[in-house]
């Protein structure tokens, strides 16, 4: 990637306030006026085009050394963002204070340096910033040695050393839990809920690690979060939804307690993630009131956060994930009007949404829009949204989503009446799913069904064919939440809608509304 492309990506990713801050800084440096002009060009462009750039600034001297100017602008943006984010990141603030300690110490103002160092220690300890604490301890050790240990004895040296090794122990503890968490989520995001029972041994090996046998072995806030997250994910993968719900609830309570006592960019993100991860569990368990409450909590994060700790990126994440959650609820509870209003609003923002860099989330949103439209009989619009998933080439790992997408694509073609495409789609879907180490039994049932229709479209009028399909799906042990609870199909409900000749959204509503 060229420096011009890197600059374009960097500038396009900046929030409005970040852009304003950089422009302010650049305006103070008159000799760097070319940087501001070049910055504006990138900010206003839809893509990087060097020919357009040279045409825009034809005759200006900086074009003779464009690469040098681009590098200068890139570095200037990063320096400016370091200053801007001092207020937004606790770690940045503490690192800046340590730089102040360095400056004061080198000027010989030792007492002033020590005063700031004590403040850094207090904040770092309160927030479990262990890497910062290690830096503080290094400074304390330096003050001891370069002060010739005046007024100190061996116990003071031992105290610093013991605390240093204690902090290293906390960091090692966190690293162990972070590694285990990464491994179980790596499995999940690559293949969703494993398609082959032999694959479960990987997750069983993770969950049987010594560190995961007792929550008391998780020594820090981060370690405890990882411990609960791992157990929740393991139970979700194995279909133990009540256990997954318990662990996710404990995790949200742990993070919410921290969120309510002190705010930082990191804790805002953790709070959002804890809410977002509990929602699909509640959807699977049909805890609809809790889902509504969690969505409200998610959408209230901005109002509860300091402006310096809430970013445009977080705002976008909340919009995307809350929309996915709402669509899941509207689809399963047959809330047609609410769903149509939301889909219309998202359609108006489609171009803006399509630039969202978290493709895994974006594709799940597209799928949920398509699934909702499918349930209310809007098959052609549903297929257009679904094609955005099928045609995407940037993401290769969301195999659970792509499997559901291909099944839904066949059903939509069936509903539209394009039976001649079904055999081709069934064959290509079979090849795709076989690459995932085999088909689920319910997938084989659906593929066989679609192949039959490709040869005889009149079968759609025979209800016995659909009764047989329902029996086969039930015998296969099909569960709608077999993969991602927010991005999966209720095939049995669809078959019931054919047998009973009723709208799918009515069938889903009757099935999912909890009585009493």
């Amino acid at each position: 990637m060229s420096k011009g492309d890197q600059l374009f990506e960097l500038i396009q990713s900046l929030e409005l306030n970040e852009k304003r801050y950089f422009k302010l800084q650049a305006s103070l440096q008159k000799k760097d006026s070319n940087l501001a002009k070049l910055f504006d060009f990138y900010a206003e462009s839809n893509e990087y085009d060097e020919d357009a750039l040279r045409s825009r600034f034809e005759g200006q001297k900086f074009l003779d050394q464009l690469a040098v100017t681009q590098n200068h602008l890139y570095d200037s943006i990063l320096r400016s963002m370091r200053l801007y984010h001092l207020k937004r990141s606790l770690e940045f603030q503490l690192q800046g204070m340590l730089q102040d300690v360095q400056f004061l110490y080198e000027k010989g103002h030792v007492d002033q340096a020590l005063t700031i160092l004590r403040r850094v220690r207090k904040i770092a300890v309160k927030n479990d910033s262990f890497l910062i604490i290690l830096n503080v301890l290094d400074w304390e050790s330096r003050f001891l040695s370069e002060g010739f240990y005046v007024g100190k004895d061996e116990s003071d040296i031992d105290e610093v050393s013991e605390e240093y090794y204690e902090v290293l122990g906390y960091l090692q503890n966190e690293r162990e839990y972070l590694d285990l968490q990464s491994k179980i989520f790596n499995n999940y995001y690559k293949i969703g809920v494993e398609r082959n029972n032999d694959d479960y041994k990987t997750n069983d090996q993770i969950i049987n690690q010594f560190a995961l046998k007792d929550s008391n072995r998780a020594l820090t806030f981060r370690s405890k979060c990882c411990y609960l997250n791992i157990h929740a994910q393991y139970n979700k993968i194995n279909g133990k939804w009540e256990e997954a719900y318990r662990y996710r609830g404990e995790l949200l309570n742990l993070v919410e307690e921290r969120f309510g006592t002190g705010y930082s960019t990191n804790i805002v993100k953790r709070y959002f993630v804890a809410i977002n991860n509990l929602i699909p569990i509640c959807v699977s368990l049909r805890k609809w009131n809790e889902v509504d409450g969690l969505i409200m909590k998610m959408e209230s994060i901005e109002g509860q956060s300091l402006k310096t700790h809430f970013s445009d990126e977080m705002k976008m994440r909340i919009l995307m994930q809350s929309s996915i959650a709402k669509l899941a609820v509207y689809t399963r509870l047959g809330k047609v009007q609410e769903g149509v209003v939301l889909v219309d609003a998202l359609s108006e923002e489609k171009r803006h949404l399509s630039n969202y860099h978290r493709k895994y989330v974006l594709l799940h949103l597209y799928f949920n829009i398509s699934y909702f439209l499918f349930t209310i009989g809007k098959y052609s619009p549903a297929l257009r949204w679904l094609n955005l998933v099928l045609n995407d080439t940037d993401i290769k790992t969301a195999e659970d989503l792509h499997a559901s997408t291909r099944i839904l694509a066949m059903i939509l073609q069936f509903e539209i009446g394009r039976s001649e495409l079904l055999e081709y789609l069934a064959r290509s879907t079979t090849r795709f799913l076989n690459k995932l180490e085999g088909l689920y039994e319910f997938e084989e049932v659906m593929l066989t069904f679609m192949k039959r229709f490709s040869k005889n479209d009149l079968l759609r009028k025979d209800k016995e064919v659909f009764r047989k399909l329902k029996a086969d799906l039930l015998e296969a042990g099909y569960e709608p939440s077999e993969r991602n609870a927010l991005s999966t199909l209720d095939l049995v409900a669809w078959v019931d809608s054919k047998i009973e000749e009723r709208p799918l959204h009515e069938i889903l509503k009757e099935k999912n509304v909890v009585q009493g």
Side-chain angles (χ1 to χ4, degrees):
M1 183 182 292
S2 70
K3 180 56 71 174
D5 289 314
Q6 291 176 351
L7 260 175
F8 174 76
E9 287 191 358
L10 175 60
I11 293 171
Q12 289 292 320
S13 70
L14 296 179
E15 300 174 10
L16 184 60
N17 287 335
E18 291 172 331
K19 290 177 180 177
R20 286 174 180 161
Y21 186 83
F22 174 79
K23 292 292 293 295
L24 176 63
Q25 294 295 308
S27 68
L28 298 176
Q29 303 294 326
K30 294 184 179 179
K31 64 179 181 179
D32 288 337
S33 60
N34 287 332
L35 298 188
K37 290 187 290 187
L38 195 56
F39 181 90
D40 286 339
F41 172 81
Y42 282 109
E44 296 164 3
S45 300
N46 293 322
E47 60 181 356
Y48 175 61
D49 184 339
E50 185 169 325
D51 291 337
L53 186 153
R54 290 186 176 278
S55 175
R56 167 86 169 268
F57 298 108
E58 185 177 1
Q60 302 208 25
K61 291 184 178 180
F62 76 84
L63 291 177
D64 296 336
Q65 292 184 307
L66 179 59
V68 174
T69 307
Q70 288 174 326
N71 282 323
H72 187 22
L73 175 57
Y74 191 87
D75 292 341
S76 296
I77 293 171
L78 294 182
R79 283 197 301 272
S80 178
M81 291 304 100
R82 282 198 293 271
L83 290 172
Y84 177 75
H85 283 279
L86 276 175
K87 294 181 179 180
R88 302 189 68 174
S89 168
L90 179 66
E91 297 296 323
F92 276 20
Q93 289 178 39
L94 295 177
Q95 290 286 1
M97 292 171 72
L98 286 173
Q99 291 177 14
D100 294 340
V101 170
Q102 174 86 37
F103 172 77
L104 291 169
Y105 178 78
E106 290 178 354
K107 290 295 184 181
H109 304 305
V110 177
D111 289 341
Q112 294 179 43
L114 276 170
T115 298
I116 294 178
L117 192 66
R118 292 188 190 102
R119 286 171 54 200
V120 173
R121 168 189 270 279
K122 183 177 180 180
I123 298 170
V125 169
K126 179 181 177 182
N127 291 277
D128 291 345
S129 300
F130 296 115
L131 289 174
I132 297 294
I133 296 173
L134 288 180
N135 282 320
V136 170
L137 292 168
D138 278 335
W139 271 106
E140 291 180 353
S141 180
R142 184 186 302 185
F143 282 128
L144 282 175
S145 63
E146 297 194 15
F148 299 101
Y149 305 100
V150 174
K152 306 295 182 181
D153 56 31
E154 191 172 317
S155 64
D156 294 300
I157 301 170
D158 290 339
E159 184 178 344
V160 173
S161 182
E162 287 170 7
E163 187 174 358
Y164 194 93
Y165 286 113
E166 182 182 6
V167 172
L168 285 177
Y170 288 136
L171 284 170
Q172 184 176 2
N173 185 259
E174 286 188 354
R175 185 72 263 164
E176 182 177 7
Y177 283 96
L178 284 167
D179 286 346
L180 292 171
Q181 177 178 265
S182 295
K183 288 175 181 177
I184 201 163
F185 275 90
N186 177 59
N187 289 346
Y188 179 74
Y189 283 117
K190 278 189 174 179
I191 53 179
V193 178
E194 284 85 341
R195 307 180 63 82
N196 187 319
N197 285 337
D198 291 340
D199 289 328
Y200 282 117
K201 64 183 180 182
T202 303
N203 291 326
D204 286 341
Q205 288 173 348
I206 293 170
I207 207 69
N208 285 321
Q209 294 293 309
F210 180 76
L212 297 174
K213 296 294 185 183
D214 185 349
S215 62
N216 292 322
R217 291 171 183 150
L219 303 178
T220 72
F221 172 72
R222 294 186 187 92
S223 297
K224 292 180 189 300
C225 287
C226 289
Y227 174 90
L228 294 169
N229 209 16
I230 293 166
H231 279 280
Q233 193 66 12
Y234 177 80
N235 281 288
K236 175 185 174 182
I237 288 171
N238 286 281
K240 298 178 180 178
W241 295 99
E242 288 289 352
E243 279 297 288
Y245 171 75
R246 180 172 68 85
Y247 281 111
R248 286 274 182 240
E250 288 183 27
L251 177 57
L252 177 56
N253 290 336
L254 177 65
V255 176
E256 196 165 27
E257 185 177 319
R258 181 69 65 98
F259 180 72
T261 57
Y263 299 97
S264 70
T265 304
N266 182 59
I267 201 63
V268 168
K269 179 182 175 182
R270 282 186 180 275
Y271 185 48
F272 161 77
V273 171
I275 294 170
N276 189 53
N277 285 339
L278 181 54
I279 287 174
I281 308 297
C282 290
V283 168
S284 181
L285 294 173
R286 301 177 187 172
K287 296 178 181 290
W288 306 117
N289 289 336
E290 285 196 46
V291 175
D292 290 340
L294 289 168
I295 293 172
M296 290 178 62
K297 276 188 177 183
M298 182 184 289
E299 293 183 329
S300 70
I301 291 176
E302 181 176 5
Q304 296 182 64
S305 305
L306 297 175
K307 288 184 178 180
T308 53
H309 296 148
F310 191 87
S311 64
D312 287 349
E313 157 67 8
M314 180 54 64
K315 189 171 187 175
M316 190 64 171
R317 290 185 74 177
I318 289 174
L319 171 63
M320 300 287 280
Q321 296 290 8
S322 64
S323 296
I324 291 172
K326 288 175 183 177
L327 284 166
V329 174
Y330 298 157
T331 299
R332 287 153 182 79
L333 298 185
K335 295 188 175 184
V336 177
Q337 185 175 353
E338 294 92 329
V340 169
V341 170
L342 177 56
V343 170
D344 287 346
L346 293 171
S347 297
E348 291 181 5
E349 295 290 326
K350 187 176 179 181
R351 183 174 180 181
H352 178 56
L353 296 174
S354 66
N355 294 322
Y356 187 58
H357 67 283
R358 295 176 183 271
K359 275 299 183 74
Y360 187 85
V361 175
L362 180 63
L363 297 184
H364 275 272
L365 177 62
Y366 289 161
F367 177 90
N368 277 272
I369 293 173
S370 176
Y371 186 30
F372 169 76
L373 292 171
F374 159 66
T375 65
I376 63 172
K378 294 184 178 294
Y379 304 127
S380 293
L383 191 57
R384 287 197 293 272
W385 283 99
L386 199 65
N387 282 336
L388 296 175
V389 183
L390 291 169
N391 297 333
D392 188 86
T393 58
D394 291 338
I395 189 164
K396 305 293 185 183
T397 58
E399 295 174 353
D400 61 322
L401 175 62
H402 281 291
S404 295
T405 299
R406 288 167 184 265
I407 297 292
L408 180 55
M410 284 192 296
I411 296 175
L412 284 169
Q413 296 291 1
F414 170 88
E415 292 287 13
I416 292 171
R418 298 172 183 163
S419 299
E420 70 278 4
L421 296 176
L422 295 179
E423 184 171 7
Y424 164 76
L425 291 173
R427 286 202 307 270
S428 64
T429 300
T430 299
R431 287 195 299 271
F432 174 83
L433 296 178
N434 275 327
K435 290 179 181 178
L436 306 187
E437 301 180 5
L439 282 70
Y440 284 124
E441 189 176 346
F442 81 86
E443 290 168 339
E444 292 188 62
V445 170
M446 287 301 300
L447 291 169
T448 300
F449 174 81
M450 290 298 173
K451 287 176 183 177
R452 287 184 64 192
F453 268 91
S454 69
K455 296 180 174 62
N456 185 0
D457 190 56
L458 294 176
L459 290 173
R460 70 175 63 236
K461 298 179 180 179
D462 187 350
K463 290 187 180 180
E464 286 304 316
V465 173
F466 288 98
R467 291 191 181 96
K468 175 67 165 56
L469 174 59
K470 179 177 179 179
D472 290 343
L473 287 170
L474 294 174
E475 185 178 351
Y478 171 70
E479 291 290 339
S481 59
E482 192 144 12
R483 291 194 189 83
N484 190 311
L486 298 187
S487 299
T488 191
L489 307 170
D490 192 330
L491 297 174
V492 174
W494 173 67
V495 177
D496 282 337
S497 74
K498 295 299 167 190
I499 296 171
E500 300 176 25
E501 297 184 6
R502 294 170 57 206
L504 176 54
H505 64 84
E506 290 184 5
I507 302 290
L508 287 168
K509 181 177 181 179
E510 289 181 4
K511 182 173 183 177
N512 288 295
V513 172
V514 179
Q515 302 297 326

